[in-house]
């Protein structure tokens, strides 16, 4: 009997932690692609033109929201149309619609008490859910404006080593469910996934990443078999 693989989607009763587990590693992967392109260049945001530039590189943007350091508060752009205009908040409005549909307060509440790391997790989930290519935070007079970027200029690096290191870094540095994160990252990248009782396998061409798990879903080991070497 053929087993139908379950797609990675947002489901009813998903918590934000589950959503971050599903979509965060892919977002980190995307951010590394952006970093490879722009290097150490700092972003210059032009809201009137709806662009951000890094030296000679220019991207059109969508505004996701902004963080106020003095009051430690995240504000969604969808609640600030009078500031940004409706054209620049379309992606933010999509996130609100998802929050309304699945009762995810983090996406559907206009303002959130947050720290700076919370802003990054909101942006990370957003770029993966909306199939954007990256996000960037621009400091502007006491606030950080988070923008979403979609551009063919950002090329993917799909090396086996990057996949392994990205997953390891993600599950180590974020409060997520590692077992769910590995399955989701593998499937969202379009790779083959095979689960077992205490380990799972990502099939990347002829190569393999094998991750062992405890009964609680924590990682015991990560092995890499690169057939191209």
């Amino acid at each position: 009997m053929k087993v139908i693989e379950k797609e990675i989607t947002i489901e009813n009763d998903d918590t934000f932690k589950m959503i971050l587990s599903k979509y965060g590693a892919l977002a980190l992967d995307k951010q590394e692609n952006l970093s490879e392109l722009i290097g150490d260049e700092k972003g210059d945001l032009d809201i009137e033109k709806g662009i951000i530039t890094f030296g000679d590189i220019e991207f059109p943007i969508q505004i996701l929201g902004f963080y106020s350091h003095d009051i430690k508060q995240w504000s969604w752009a969808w609640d600030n149309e009078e500031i940004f205009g409706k054209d620049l908040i379309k992606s933010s409005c999509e996130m609100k619609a998802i929050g309304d549909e699945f009762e995810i307060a983090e996406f559907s509440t206009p303002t959130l008490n947050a720290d700076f790391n919370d802003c990054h997790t909101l942006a990370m989930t957003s770029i993966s859910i909306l199939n954007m290519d990256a996000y960037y935070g621009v400091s502007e007079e006491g606030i950080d404006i988070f923008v979403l970027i979609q551009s063919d200029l950002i090329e993917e690096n799909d090396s086996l080593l990057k996949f392994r290191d990205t997953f390891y870094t993600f599950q180590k540095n974020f409060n997520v469910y590692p077992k769910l994160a590995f399955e989701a990252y593998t499937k969202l990248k379009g790779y083959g996934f095979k689960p077992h009782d205490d380990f799972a396998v990502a099939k990347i061409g002829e190569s393999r990443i094998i991750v062992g798990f405890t009964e609680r879903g924590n990682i015991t080991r990560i092995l890499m078999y690169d057939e191209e070497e």
Side-chain angles (χ1 to χ4, degrees), residues 56-174:
D56 296 330
I57 303 171
E58 178 181 297
F59 299 119
I61 54 95
Q62 283 282 296
I63 297 176
L64 188 68
F66 58 91
Y67 181 67
S68 301
H69 287 270
D70 56 344
I71 58 176
K72 297 187 182 301
Q73 179 176 278
W74 166 267
S75 299
W76 282 98
W78 54 257
D79 192 49
N80 291 275
E81 181 179 337
E82 72 281 1
I83 299 175
F84 302 116
K86 64 181 180 180
D87 290 338
L88 289 183
I89 64 171
K90 291 178 181 178
S91 292
S92 185
C93 289
E94 289 184 61
M95 293 306 297
K96 182 183 186 301
I98 291 169
D100 290 339
E101 179 180 357
F102 294 99
E103 298 182 353
I104 305 163
E106 287 84 354
F107 298 155
S108 59
T109 304
T111 59
L112 301 167
N113 294 326
D115 60 31
F116 196 56
N117 289 332
D118 294 328
C119 302
H120 285 283
T121 58
L122 291 170
M124 288 169 70
T125 52
S126 296
I127 63 169
S128 292
I129 291 169
L130 299 179
N131 198 30
M132 304 295 273
D133 292 314
Y135 75 88
Y136 191 85
V138 182
S139 295
E140 295 278 353
E141 299 180 358
I143 66 172
D144 283 88
I145 301 174
F146 283 75
V147 302
L148 307 185
I149 299 168
Q150 191 167 44
S151 174
D152 292 337
L153 295 175
I154 304 174
E155 297 181 357
E156 292 190 39
N157 173 356
D158 289 328
S159 73
L160 189 69
L161 183 61
K162 180 190 176 188
F163 180 87
R164 184 199 67 181
D165 290 349
T166 298
F167 171 69
Y168 175 77
T169 299
F170 175 65
Q171 60 82 35
K172 180 181 179 182
N173 292 296
F174 293 88

